[in-house]
Amino acid sequence: RRACRAILGGGFVAAMAAEDPPPTMLRFQPFASDVNMSFFQEFAARKLDQYRLSDEARPITGSFTGAGGKLIVERSSFAVDAATAAAASCAVPGALQNMNTVADFKAMDKNAFMAAMAENLWADIKSGAAVSDPTLLLKFGVISYADLKRHHFVYWFAFPALVSPTPFRLARPAELLRSFLSPGRYASLQA
């Protein structure tokens, strides 16, 4: 969890040039996804052998490695066990919902999908669960359509976030991770 907190704390704040004045408003870096081909291979095998025509959401796990802001999904994402994540990674819980037709994929209400994820996030905050386990603040969802005959996959990643009615302000100037982490710990986050 310490690695997750360091990655989350360091990955969100946008970089600024040396000549820029220190910002008073906290800025966030948008997330991006990176899908390894092994993810689709494992997904195709599970779709044929286990999921078949079921369109229920399945738990998966993604990971952040380093502070680049890219969520990676791969073959091990289906294990859902945080222990499968590499030591320098931050495991992130997610859900994969596969639609059986491209029409169903296009017709799915993506706003409702995001709203449901945001409600779960808000419930974790209100219950206090997110205070004891900050990793609950970061979740993701994937909606997909898989045409296994043509090996064609269509997918949409969702990263729910709560929006404050007023911008967040920095309580003190931002610090670089390397200024308060040991050189070894900082190097492990760069790998």
Side-chain angles (χ1 to χ4, degrees):
R1 289 217 177 126
R2 287 186 183 150
C4 291
R5 288 184 184 133
I7 290 170
L8 296 178
F12 283 123
V13 179
M16 61 182 175
E19 64 275 359
D20 289 345
T24 58
M25 188 177 357
L26 187 61
R27 298 178 293 175
F28 296 93
Q29 176 181 342
F31 288 116
S33 58
D34 188 7
V35 183
N36 185 295
M37 184 55 74
S38 66
F39 177 83
F40 291 122
Q41 292 167 339
E42 181 67 19
F43 175 51
R46 286 174 182 252
K47 173 84 173 135
L48 287 171
D49 298 334
Q50 297 172 19
Y51 306 160
R52 301 184 186 262
L53 294 177
S54 171
D55 62 357
E56 76 179 62
R58 306 287 176 161
I60 59 174
T61 302
S63 64
F64 286 105
T65 55
K70 278 196 174 185
L71 179 90
I72 300 168
V73 292
E74 55 194 356
R75 180 180 310 275
S76 65
S77 295
F78 290 93
V80 187
D81 182 2
T84 61
S89 296
C90 175
V92 179
L96 168 67
Q97 185 163 5
N98 186 63
M99 310 312 286
N100 288 311
T101 67
V102 73
D104 288 345
F105 175 82
K106 290 178 180 179
M108 180 161 185
D109 187 349
K110 293 169 182 69
N111 288 328
F113 181 76
M114 283 287 288
M117 292 180 69
E119 285 295 323
N120 289 338
L121 178 63
W122 185 239
D124 288 339
I125 291 170
K126 287 189 341 186
S127 72
V131 173
S132 59
D133 184 5
T135 61
L136 293 174
L137 295 172
L138 185 60
K139 297 179 182 181
F140 73 100
V142 181
I143 301 170
S144 66
Y145 164 68
D147 182 344
L148 300 181
K149 291 179 184 175
R150 293 189 293 164
H151 303 284
H152 183 78
F153 299 87
V154 180
Y155 58 92
W156 182 79
F157 271 77
F159 299 98
L162 300 175
V163 178
S164 172
T166 59
F168 293 107
R169 302 259 176 218
L170 292 175
R172 63 177 197 242
E175 297 178 54
L176 296 175
L177 280 175
R178 69 173 163 248
S179 67
F180 59 90
L181 293 178
S182 70
R185 185 68 182 140
Y186 182 74
S188 73
L189 294 174
Q190 298 299 310

